[in-house]
Amino acid sequence: MSREKQYNRRQVSGVALAALSSFLLLFTSDEQMAFSSLAPTPDMPPDTTLHIATTSQHTSAFTLGMSDVDTNLIYPQSSEQASQIKHLLAQSSSFTNIHIMGWGADDPWPDPAQPEPTNWSTLDKKLQIALDTGTTPVITLCEAPWWMKGRLNADGSTTRLTKNDDFADITYDARVLDNHMSDWLHLVQRIAERYMAPPYNVRYFQVWNELKGYYNPITNNWDGGKSQGDPTGDNARHGYTYMYNQVYTTLKQVAQGQGIDPPQVKVGGPYVVMDSWASTNAPDRSNVKDQYGALDRRSLNVVATWLAEKLGGDFLTIDGGNVNKDQTNLTDPFTATEKFADVVQWIRSLDPHTYPGATTLPIWWAEWYAIPFATENNPDYNNALKTYTLLQFINSGVSVALAWGYDDLWYANPATPGPWYGSANAIKEHFPAGTPLYKTSSTSQDVVALASKSSVLLINKSLLPHVVDVEGKHVPLRSFQVVVVNR
């Protein structure tokens, strides 16, 4: 079966919403904020009817999590602020993801003269956030100390990192050197031994981040396979799946050595960005396409290669957003988020004999970005768009989505919940994993819904207010409002 399958499963043009995005471009941020509060008048009759199926359609597998990507919680402005933020996280998130280095965490092994990694302070503090919030900890095994890494250049040479490069831009273009793989695996082993044990009890690990350093400028492609490269010298040529397989084996061995049943430790890859293109002339376009554009064939190949060549995997983790790689938008931001569901559908379409796990592995979005193209300063629009994206995850069968950072959950000190917090909290409280869901249809394309036996979440995707008839209840929605009503 071909890795690339064309989808044209929607016939809706999206013209109305595209026009809305253009309309919003006419206004300044202050005017956008004013328009975001447009609400129905008290005498406005229902203009939209929501229909809910009488039997459940499918069961949600979805859980929302957050990635801790800075030092705001380990070095807070005040203990009061930290306490309030942790309370908000506990109410809205179920996973806390931490990278072992970078994004607020120090290098755990900065000195190659030292036989062991010992610099655990910031990583301990970040893992403590998960304990304090009662969320499930996830460790992302990325980045790596400078002395282990190098960048592959277009002329075939490799540039080794220096001590000053530990957190410089070049580190994100570098992979572990082929001849330092044993050092990397030793660091992975020590991290696993420390954090699988109490009190942290980590059981989820993502391997690397966005294939950083695995881009091959010689081939204009990702080195995603299981080649070991050239370990006879300081080369950066091994494939991602080669590294992943050794990390996978190391993590399972540590689990067994600590008396943990290895299947309880979940390891995921390949954490590749699922890029897309608007231009029909883009040479890396695939045939997986819809109104927003076409997915990048190289990203699809990484997923397929990992599925085919991995030694084992417990979940499949990917990354992406609703903005095309060439920064051109063919449709409105809401329609563009339907890319997330298309990626999942493509993965599920792969032949499981050739690509083991394609139809069964839980799918995680390690990072996801729903960008409001024209209204960045409108929190209600931002919330509606993000919540609509969660519906794409839920309806396509995604298991976990990790939001990048916490900032949209609240306003500045003192931490005050924002609109996105309300939606994240509603999903966790009213639609947790295991909830049977009922198919909905709306007489207005502006209003979409998610329904369980006891609750209905409504999203107004429009600048205009609406009044929705939900099983006889009249529910007013101001522009871009998200609400939950009881059935």
Side-chain angles (χ1 to χ4, degrees):
M1 179 177 180
S2 172
R3 294 180 181 180
E4 299 180 0
K5 182 177 180 182
Q6 180 172 345
Y7 294 103
N8 288 301
R9 58 185 177 82
R10 293 181 208 86
Q11 301 301 320
V12 179
S13 67
V15 171
L17 281 171
L20 170 61
S21 293
S22 299
F23 175 69
L24 286 170
L25 281 168
L26 299 174
F27 296 97
T28 65
S29 59
D30 290 340
E31 288 166 327
Q32 290 164 8
M33 291 293 290
F35 273 95
S36 72
S37 62
L38 287 176
T41 60
D43 59 346
M44 185 174 172
D47 61 86
T48 302
T49 300
L50 184 73
H51 301 286
I52 304 174
T54 56
T55 57
S56 63
Q57 176 189 26
H58 63 96
T59 298
S60 173
F62 181 74
T63 303
L64 180 65
M66 307 285 170
S67 288
D68 180 42
V69 296
D70 52 41
T71 59
N72 290 342
L73 284 180
I74 60 176
Y75 303 119
Q77 295 182 23
S78 67
S79 58
E80 180 182 0
Q81 181 197 40
S83 177
Q84 175 66 1
I85 290 175
K86 288 178 182 179
H87 173 74
L88 296 177
L89 284 176
Q91 298 300 311
S92 59
S93 181
S94 296
F95 288 88
T96 296
N97 174 50
I98 297 106
H99 290 70
I100 62 168
M101 176 181 164
W103 301 285
D106 294 337
D107 184 343
W109 198 357
D111 185 356
Q114 296 297 321
E116 294 286 343
T118 58
N119 190 27
W120 303 115
S121 176
T122 54
L123 202 49
D124 286 354
K125 287 182 171 70
K126 281 179 167 282
L127 267 295
Q128 187 64 42
I129 294 169
L131 299 183
D132 293 345
T133 56
T135 54
T136 300
V138 180
I139 284 181
T140 296
L141 294 163
C142 187
E143 284 283 331
W146 61 272
W147 53 274
M148 298 183 190
K149 297 180 65 183
R151 181 187 65 194
L152 178 63
N153 301 313
D155 63 2
S157 65
T158 297
T159 299
R160 287 204 60 173
L161 271 61
T162 69
K163 187 173 184 178
N164 293 331
D165 294 328
D166 225 354
F167 297 100
D169 289 344
I170 190 176
T171 195
Y172 302 113
D173 293 325
R175 70 188 90 170
V176 174
L177 293 163
D178 301 344
N179 61 349
H180 277 275
M181 189 61 63
S182 60
D183 294 314
W184 165 243
L185 295 174
H186 186 70
L187 175 59
V188 169
Q189 177 186 344
R190 291 294 187 249
I191 288 169
E193 290 169 346
R194 184 178 186 87
Y195 296 113
M196 282 186 194
Y200 305 107
N201 299 310
V202 176
R203 296 294 182 269
Y204 292 92
F205 294 87
Q206 298 185 121
V207 181
W208 215 243
N209 172 299
E210 297 185 335
L211 265 70
K212 287 180 169 61
Y214 284 92
Y215 174 71
N216 188 325
I218 303 168
T219 61
N220 184 32
N221 211 334
W222 298 109
D223 286 335
K226 58 180 182 180
S227 167
Q228 68 173 338
D230 181 5
T232 62
D234 292 335
N235 301 301
R237 291 183 172 274
H238 72 272
Y240 168 83
T241 304
Y242 170 76
M243 183 271 288
Y244 169 89
N245 283 341
Q246 296 193 73
V247 170
Y248 175 88
T249 300
T250 299
L251 292 172
K252 297 294 184 174
Q253 288 174 344
V254 171
Q256 189 165 22
Q258 292 200 350
I260 301 167
D261 187 17
Q264 291 184 9
V265 172
K266 309 296 184 182
V267 186
Y271 202 151
V272 61
V273 182
M274 305 306 293
D275 285 322
S276 56
W277 297 90
S279 172
T280 57
N281 296 321
D284 298 312
R285 259 175 90 97
S286 73
N287 289 325
V288 183
K289 59 186 178 181
D290 214 313
Q291 297 179 62
Y292 50 82
L295 298 181
D296 190 303
R297 63 174 179 81
R298 298 168 300 179
S299 300
L300 300 181
N301 286 339
V302 167
V303 172
T305 297
W306 178 80
L307 285 167
E309 298 184 353
K310 67 186 185 310
L311 288 179
D314 303 294
F315 59 97
L316 190 155
T317 182
I318 47 180
D319 176 326
N322 65 333
V323 177
N324 290 314
K325 192 171 178 66
D326 43 9
Q327 301 297 309
T328 300
N329 304 312
L330 299 178
T331 185
D332 65 277
F334 286 93
T335 302
T337 66
E338 296 170 8
K339 165 186 170 179
F340 294 106
D342 285 348
V343 170
V344 174
Q345 186 172 343
W346 174 81
I347 293 170
R348 295 307 192 209
S349 76
L350 295 174
D351 182 353
H353 295 97
T354 305
Y355 308 106
T359 60
T360 56
L361 284 178
I363 293 176
W364 288 34
W365 283 91
E367 299 175 38
W368 57 278
Y369 301 96
I371 307 300
F373 303 154
T375 55
E376 290 83 356
N377 295 320
N378 187 327
D380 288 331
Y381 190 107
N382 180 61
N383 176 47
L385 182 60
K386 279 183 166 58
T387 309
Y388 184 71
T389 305
L390 296 191
L391 266 60
Q392 302 301 317
F393 295 145
I394 292 169
N395 291 328
S396 63
V398 169
S399 292
V400 175
L402 300 172
W404 188 257
Y406 311 132
D407 291 346
D408 285 344
L409 286 175
W410 53 75
Y411 300 117
N413 193 26
T416 304
W420 169 232
Y421 164 79
S423 294
N425 173 261
I427 293 294
K428 182 174 182 178
E429 180 179 351
H430 297 282
F431 303 94
T435 301
L437 300 175
Y438 294 74
K439 186 176 181 179
T440 65
S441 61
S442 170
T443 58
S444 170
Q445 67 174 3
D446 292 341
V447 177
V448 294
L450 181 71
S452 71
K453 185 176 182 179
S454 58
S455 303
V456 179
L457 182 144
L458 295 168
I459 304 172
N460 182 5
K461 301 190 295 177
S462 169
L463 179 71
L464 301 175
H466 288 277
V467 176
V468 186
D469 186 325
V470 182
E471 299 178 319
K473 295 180 181 179
H474 295 176
V475 182
L477 294 176
R478 68 177 183 271
S479 55
F480 308 121
Q481 188 176 12
V482 179
V483 299
V484 174
V485 296
N486 295 325
R487 296 187 65 181

